[in-house]
Structure formats: C-alpha cells, structure tokens
C-alpha cells in the first residue's frame, strides 16, 4: 500500500486549512472521505417563490428587485427577489459593501435557505446564495447536497469542494477496501469507493428518505465497516490487556463456604453458574474480563462478594466501585455484614469523609492493610494505589461509558500485573448487542430471581386519575408499607424538573398530611440527599418523591408501591429498572405508570410491554423492536455514541454478520485489523493504545 496523500495534496489546501482539518482528525485525502455528511438537502429542484411554506428548506431562484440597508433594532441588509410566482426577502445582519453591490437590482440569484414567515411575506435569514450568471450552467446541482458537521473556520461550500476533489482522486487506489469480497456479496453491499461516492454526492434520483434514515445500501456498507471496526478495536484491547499477567487465584473453599453458611438463603442456580464461570477465570494466569448481566434484584452483589473471597483468601486486595455514594454505602454495609465475621476489614472511601481521613485510608490501602475497598469511581480516580490489587469489581457499569471502563483498566495495572475485572450490569441488552458493545468482555448471565420474590404488578393510568393513586398510597402507608413517587428528569440541563419534583412533593404532602413525605433530587447537596434516603430506608419517611436518582438505588424491601409520572417519556429499560426497586420484600408490590394523554399508539404499545412482563430481557427485546427513544440500549450507556454512520439500534440486524466478518478477518487477514480500526476510530488515544 502506498502512503496516503496528505490533504495538502489537494488544490488550494494550505497549512492553515490543513490545521483546521487536523483538528477534525483529517490528515490525509482518504481521511477526508470518511468525514461523512450529517444530512442532505435537495437543491436539485428549484422551488417557485409562490410555493414557499414556513419551515420549508428550499432552493429558489429570482431576480433582485431592491436591496437596501435598514435599521430595525439593528443594522441589516434586506434584499427582495422575485420570480414571477412570488417574492422573497433575504435578510442579512452581517454583510459587507461588496456583498451589497453584488445584490444589485437585476442580478439573478440562486439561494438556499429555510423559509420563515414575516408580516411582509416569506424571508430567508442569512441564506446561502450565489449569482447564477457568474457560474457555468454545468454547476447546476445534479446531486443532493450533503451537509457536513459544522466545523470552525471551514464553510460547507469549502468542504463540498474538498470532497469533490478527494472523490476525483478516489481511483488513485489509495483507499483499500478491507472488507472481504465474500462479505460484501453476501450482504449485497457496494464496494467502498462506490459507497463513498454515493454518500458524498448522492445522485438526484436517490430517495432522500433512505439517506435521511441512513438505510441506503451505501450507508449500510459504511455502517457495517464501522461496526466491524468498533468490534475489532475492543477485541484488540482485550488481547492487549490479557497479554499482561494477572493474579491466578485459587478459590478458597473455606472462606467462601463460611460466607455462604452465614446467609439465610442459598444461591440461585443462575448465581452459582455465574460464580463458577468467574472462578474458572480467576484461576487462570491472565486477567479476567467478565461482565455479569442480570436483572435488578437477581443478586449480583453476592456473586461479586463471593468472587472477592478468592482474592482475600490469597492475601490480595479487591476493590468495588459503585456509581453513587449511596450505593457505595449500601455495598459497604452488606460487605461488612458478610466479611467482618470472617476477619476481613472493609474500607469505605466516601466523599463526605474529611480529607485527612481519606489520606490515611489511602495510605493504609497502599500498604496493603485494607483487603477490601469500596468507593465511587470518582474516589478511585483520585489516585488510590494498592499494594496488590487482584480483583476490581465495577457495579452498574451501564452508568459508565466504554471509555471510563477502559480508563479504569489502566488504573489497576501495577507491578506488571493486571487485576481481574468483574463488571456488573442490570441493562438487559440482547445478546447480539452485548457482543458488540462488550466485545472485549466475556459475559455471564443471571437469568433467575431469588425465590419468594413477588412479581411487581404494573398498571398504566392516565394522570387524570391521580386522586385514586394518592388514595392508594395512603392505604399502603397506613398498612405500614412505603412508597416512591418518581418525577422523571426530562432534560438534565433544565431546572424545571427539580421545581416540578418540589411542587409534586409539596402537593403530595398537602394531600397526605398524615404521612411523612421526603424529597430527593439531583440538585440537592449529597449530604441532604443521603440523609433523606437514610430516613426513608429506616422507615421514618413513608413516601419518597424523587427524580430518577433512585434508579440505581437503595434496597428498601418495605417499599411496595412505586408511582412513575410521565412514564410515556421514559425508556422501557429505565422504567423496568425503577420498578425493580419494588418486589423485594414479603408483600406484593405494584407499580403505577402515569401518563399524560393523549398517548401515541407507539407509546401505548411500549407501556403495554411493561404491564405484560417482568422479564428484563423481554422488555429489552420488545423495546428494540419498537425502536423507542433509544435511551436504553442506547448508545449512551455503551459508549458507542460517537459512531459516524452506524447505530446499534438501527443496524442491529447486521450485527451477527459483523461478528462473523470479525472472526474471518482475525483468522485470515490479521493485518487488516489495525488499518480498519485506525480508519474509523482514528483518535485511538480515546481507546488507549490499540494493538
Ligand atoms: P442486584 O442484582 O440488582 O444488584 P442485589 O445484589 O442488590 O441485586 O440483591 C437484591 C437482594 O436479593 C439483596 O437483598 C440480596 O441480599 C438478596 N439476595 C441475593 N441473592 C439471593 C438469593 N440467592 N436468595 C435470596 N435473596 C438473595
Ligand atoms: Mg446491584
């Protein structure tokens, strides 16, 4: 392969522009072609001015009738064009004398913009425009117009020009198609050069919808390659991590059995199976990389604790990272109950501890005096050093992205050895998705809940029936139970939801004067939040009003009723996890999903899924089929949000073939792996060194 040409090989690209492009990760001509359009505009058709509608993005042509500078609040240039069917005002707030002259009466303009309605008809504010008499007719748009991600200092026009030049060079055979021909044939996907040509210059007859939905074969081809690159990059990472030695740990039957003997229950079969898989990994001299996936309440914590016994019995350390302080507290409480009778000290690192105390703890951890350390990820990132960390447990990993997970991996490495990693998640993502999002991990599934759980009964109600729901809370609490009322956060940056939660809490306290009502939300100081949660846990507060902070929350078996407002706006998995807070005690639990009518057919169907099943995997599968807001499987949690064309949800059908292709490439063309990863994940530093 010849070295790819630098972007400066393109006509008119000097060092300044090259620097801008470098900021986008574009160094070479082929790199440029992988800067893909965000969307497309149809400028192949000229819309008569008389047919403009508000909000329509359209290409128009007309003759300038009048251009004037006016002061209306601020200085602006107004230019009126007409085409016989109607007229249109072009409004510019930023302009120069040259522009003003170019818009002289009688000039013919071709403009593209979004029509806005004003008292005097339609207008385009700062449209793209050019004089049509200036350019050759051959330049009329024969293609749909790509719109690229906005970039500082490079206009869309310039980018399009650069792409055209790069496309002309495509035949220079610099761009190797790494996908095996057999894969392309099986998937009926176009070759790379053809796919790039189509996405950058879609022929006028390309159905705009297929491009917008990114279902055009050209886009599917690129998505396939991108998914493949992500999968391979995780596989490479795994290989790299496992090339370092770990700590082979023999499972100590003694410590483990003493822990088990002290429990008032027995492991479920699924827990035992997951534990056996973990123990088999721990015995090996290479670091374990394992994900334990299991529905809320299936008992992942205990499995993690049993895994930790192997490290402790060998005289090594284990660390548990929780996503919130509250959860770290809860884990510390459980672990103390389990481990202290066995003679192992449990250290909790908490943000509320005085800095001096934390420093002393860190020192003790470094000396190896603390075998078990629990804290939040933030606290571990502060630079905790271990004497001999043999196992890292990450709880509720769906809260963290891939990058955080990978960063952690670097953290644990010390003394040339890497700790085993056990990652726990309640996100019940279907298998094919898991294989992509967690391609670097082995997966154990706990698909069974402990016996004696009462399934949560779910009802869906219009919020006009609030009064009945309030009555239900009263009844439950007077019977000695407790309840949650969840006001979901629609937009985290918005203060409104917190106000809404406060107002809801006040209204409920007024309606239920006989009950102690508490409130927690994300904007409260951690200490206040914790105090309220504790009082709820202790049964002092009967009704807890919360934003979704309780999603990854505490175990309160006495809380048997959960009301979730605006349920129609939440992801199904999130709803499922929330209701999983219930159903932990002896008493029958229920979950009321309140919605604000009217409910769309899709929203109705989504909520019906929750009413019909308590199985997280079924919920996830149905959500995938119904293509909800993607909140759950969403790319957000898996860290694959940065993908350029692919979408785990939309392109899920391709995943099995992506995995097969990955195997084929790893087996037969290992030298293609690196260039593929580099092409798509470019900024490899994000993923740690690859290879
Ligand atoms: P999650 O998987 O959601 O993290 P937890 O580990 O918090 O679930 O477990 C939920 C509850 O179930 C805890 O109170 C735990 O003690 C209990 N539990 C765990 N395993 C069993 C079991 N085999 N039988 C009965 N209860 C169990
Ligand atoms: Mg848990």
């Amino acid at each position: 392969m010849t070295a790819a040409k630098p972007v400066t090989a393109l006509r008119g690209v000097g060092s300044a522009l090259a620097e801008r492009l470098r900021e986008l990760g574009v160094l070479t001509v082929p790199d440029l072609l992988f800067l893909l359009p965000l969307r497309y505009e149809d400028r192949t058709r000229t819309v008569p001015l008389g047919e403009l509608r508000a909000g329509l993005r359209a290409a128009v042509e007309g003759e300038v009738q009048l251009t004037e500078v006016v002061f209306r609040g601020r200085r602006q240039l107004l230019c009126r064009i007409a085409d016989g069917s109607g007229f249109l005002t072009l409004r510019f707030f930023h302009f120069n004398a040259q522009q003003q002259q170019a818009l002289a009466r009688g000039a013919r303009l071709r403009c593209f913009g979004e029509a806005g309605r004003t008292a005097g008809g339609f207008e385009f504010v700062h449209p793209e425009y050019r004089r049509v008499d200036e350019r050759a007719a051959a330049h009329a748009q024969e293609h749909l117009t790509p719109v690229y991600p906005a970039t500082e200092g490079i206009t869309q026009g310039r980018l399009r020009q650069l792409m055209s030049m790069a496309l002309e060079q495509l035949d220079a055979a610099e761009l190797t198609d790494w996908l095996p021909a057999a894969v392309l044939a099986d998937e009926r996907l176009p070759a790379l050069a053809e796919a790039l040509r189509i996405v950058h210059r879609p022929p006028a007859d390309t159905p705009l919808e297929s491009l917008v939905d990114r279902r055009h074969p050209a886009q599917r081809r690129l998505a396939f390659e991108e998914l493949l690159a992500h999968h391979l990059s995780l596989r490479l990472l795994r290989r790299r991590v496992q090339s370092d030695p770990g700590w082979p740990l023999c499972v100590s039957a003694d410590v483990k059995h003493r822990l088990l003997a002290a429990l008032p229950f027995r492991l479920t079969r699924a827990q035992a199976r997951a534990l056996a898989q973990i123990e088999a990994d721990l015995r090996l001299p290479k670091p374990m990389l394992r994900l334990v996936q299991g529905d809320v309440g299936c008992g992942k914590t205990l499995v993690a604790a049993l895994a930790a016994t192997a490290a402790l019995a060998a005289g090594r350390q284990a660390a548990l990272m929780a996503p919130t302080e509250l959860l770290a507290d809860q884990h510390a409480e459980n672990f103390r109950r389990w481990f202290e009778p066995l003679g192992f000290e449990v250290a909790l690192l908490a943000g509320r501890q005085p800095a001096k105390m934390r420093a002393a703890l860190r020192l003790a951890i470094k000396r190896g005096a603390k075998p078990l350390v629990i804290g939040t990820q933030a606290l571990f990132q502060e630079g905790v050093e271990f004497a001999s960390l043999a196992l890292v447990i990450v709880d509720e990993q769906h809260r963290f992205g891939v990058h955080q997970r990978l960063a952690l991996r670097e953290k644990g490495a010390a003394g040339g050895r890497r700790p085993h990693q056990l990652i726990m998640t309640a996100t019940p993502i279907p298998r094919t998705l898991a294989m992509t999002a967690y391609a670097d991990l082995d997966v154990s599934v706990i698909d069974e809940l402990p016996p004696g759980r009462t399934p949560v009964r779910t009802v869906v109600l219009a919020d006009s029936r609030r009064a009945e729901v309030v009555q239900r809370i009263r009844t439950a609490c007077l019977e000695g139970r407790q309840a949650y009322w969840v006001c979901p956060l629609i937009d985290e940056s918005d203060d409104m939801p917190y106000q809404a939660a406060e107002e809801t809490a006040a209204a409920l306290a007024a309606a239920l004067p006989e009950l102690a009502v508490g409130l927690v939300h994300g904007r409260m100081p951690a200490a206040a939040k914790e105090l309220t949660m504790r009082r709820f846990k202790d049964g002092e507060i009967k009704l807890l009003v919360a934003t979704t902070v309780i999603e990854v929350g505490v175990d309160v078996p006495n809380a048997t009723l959960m009301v979730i407002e605006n349920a129609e706006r939440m992801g199904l998995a999130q709803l499922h996890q929330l209701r999983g807070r219930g159903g932990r005690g002896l008493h029958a639990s229920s979950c009321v999903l309140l919605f604000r009518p009217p409910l769309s057919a899709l929203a109705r169907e989504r909520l019906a899924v929750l009413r019909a099943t308590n199985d997280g995997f079924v919920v996830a599968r149905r959500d995938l089929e119904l293509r909800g807001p993607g909140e759950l499987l969403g790319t957000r949690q898996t860290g694959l949000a940065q993908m350029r064309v692919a979408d785990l949800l939309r392109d899920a059908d391709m995943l099995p073939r992506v995995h097969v292709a990955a195997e084929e490439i790893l087996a037969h063309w290992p030298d293609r792996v690196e260039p593929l990863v580099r092409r798509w994940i470019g900024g490899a530093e994000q993923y740690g060194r690859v290879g």
Side-chain angles (χ1 to χ4, degrees), residues 604-615:
R604 186 177 305 275
E605 205 173 333
R606 284 160 48 81
L607 293 180
V609 170
L610 291 171
R611 199 171 44 209
T613 181
N614 263 299
D615 181 328

Side-chain angles (χ1 to χ4, degrees), residues 265-268 271 294-302 330 337-338 395-396 450-451 453 555 581 584:
F265 48 75
R266 299 178 50 179
L267 291 186
T268 62
Q271 281 173 312
D295 217 343
V296 267
C298 72
K300 294 183 288 294
T301 316
L302 180 59
Q330 184 177 299
R337 199 173 64 235
W338 293 331
D395 192 21
E396 302 292 357
R453 291 284 163 81
D555 209 6
R581 292 291 118 209
R584 300 210 165 186

Side-chain angles (χ1 to χ4, degrees), residues 41-283:
E41 286 168 350
D42 187 356
R43 305 182 184 188
T44 60
R45 205 172 76 83
T46 305
V47 176
L49 295 177
E51 284 178 22
L52 285 177
R53 286 177 283 106
L56 182 70
R57 298 178 63 81
V60 299
E61 268 184 41
E63 200 179 286
V64 176
Q65 296 191 309
L66 175 72
T67 294
E68 55 181 353
V69 176
V70 299
F71 289 86
R72 288 191 194 142
R74 58 193 278 206
R75 190 164 172 267
Q76 48 193 278
L77 179 71
L78 298 182
C79 169
R80 199 159 112 121
I81 62 169
D83 70 350
S85 77
F87 37 87
L88 172 71
T89 303
L90 313 179
R91 188 189 297 272
F92 300 89
F93 296 105
H94 307 284
F95 56 94
N96 55 35
Q98 198 188 342
Q99 239 171 332
Q100 196 177 336
Q101 273 155 27
L103 298 176
R105 183 181 165 85
R108 247 198 110 60
L109 298 182
R110 186 169 171 83
C111 316
F112 187 85
E114 184 174 325
R117 190 192 294 281
T118 67
F122 289 106
E123 68 170 12
F124 280 3
V125 179
H126 278 275
E128 284 182 48
Y129 71 93
R130 61 186 164 84
R131 292 183 55 157
V132 272
D133 45 6
E134 278 173 359
R135 306 235 177 159
H139 274 250
Q141 307 281 326
E142 291 162 17
H143 303 278
L144 298 178
T145 305
V147 179
Y148 294 94
T151 47
E152 184 98 19
I154 313 177
T155 63
Q156 290 289 327
R158 192 84 180 92
L159 272 173
R160 283 175 208 136
Q161 234 177 13
L162 290 174
M163 290 302 174
S164 294
M165 289 192 278
L167 283 169
E168 277 157 30
Q169 302 211 348
L170 247 189
D171 304 317
E174 278 184 272
L175 204 60
T176 319
D177 194 339
W178 302 113
L179 289 193
V183 169
L184 293 180
D186 286 357
E187 296 290 308
R188 298 213 180 84
L189 294 173
L192 180 60
E194 190 190 336
L196 287 172
R197 207 167 268 130
I198 293 172
V199 298
H200 288 295
R201 312 182 73 174
D205 60 357
T206 314
L208 196 56
E209 286 85 272
S210 77
L211 283 177
V212 168
D213 296 346
R214 304 204 176 189
R215 290 179 174 283
H216 191 281
Q219 291 162 314
R220 301 252 304 162
R221 141 81 219 209
L222 296 172
F224 189 98
E225 189 175 316
E226 185 172 31
L227 289 167
L228 180 67
H230 275 272
H231 185 83
L232 288 171
S233 90
L234 289 171
R235 293 283 296 263
L236 281 186
L237 269 159
R238 175 186 174 84
R239 203 183 276 175
R240 179 169 148 241
V241 168
Q242 295 200 324
S243 67
D244 286 338
W247 301 92
L249 297 173
C250 279
V251 175
S252 157
D254 175 49
V255 179
K256 178 174 138 188
H257 287 133
R258 277 196 291 151
L259 199 164
L260 283 171
L263 295 174
F265 48 75
R266 299 178 50 179
L267 291 186
T268 62
R269 251 177 321 171
Q271 281 173 312
R273 194 177 53 227
L275 183 63
Q277 289 166 341
I278 293 165
E279 289 175 347
D281 286 352
L282 291 177
R283 286 193 192 96

Side-chain angles (χ1 to χ4, degrees), residues 635-650:
T635 45
R636 214 183 52 180
Q637 290 102 333
T638 55
L640 297 173
Q642 296 79 2
M643 288 197 286
R644 298 186 222 173
V645 254
D647 179 308
L648 280 181
L649 275 171
R650 187 192 52 229

Side-chain angles (χ1 to χ4, degrees), residues 482 516 530-541:
Q482 289 165 278
E530 240 159 74
L531 183 67
T532 306
M533 290 300 293
R534 190 138 316 192
R535 288 176 60 211
F536 183 62
K537 207 172 172 176
D538 294 342
E540 221 181 291
I541 289 175

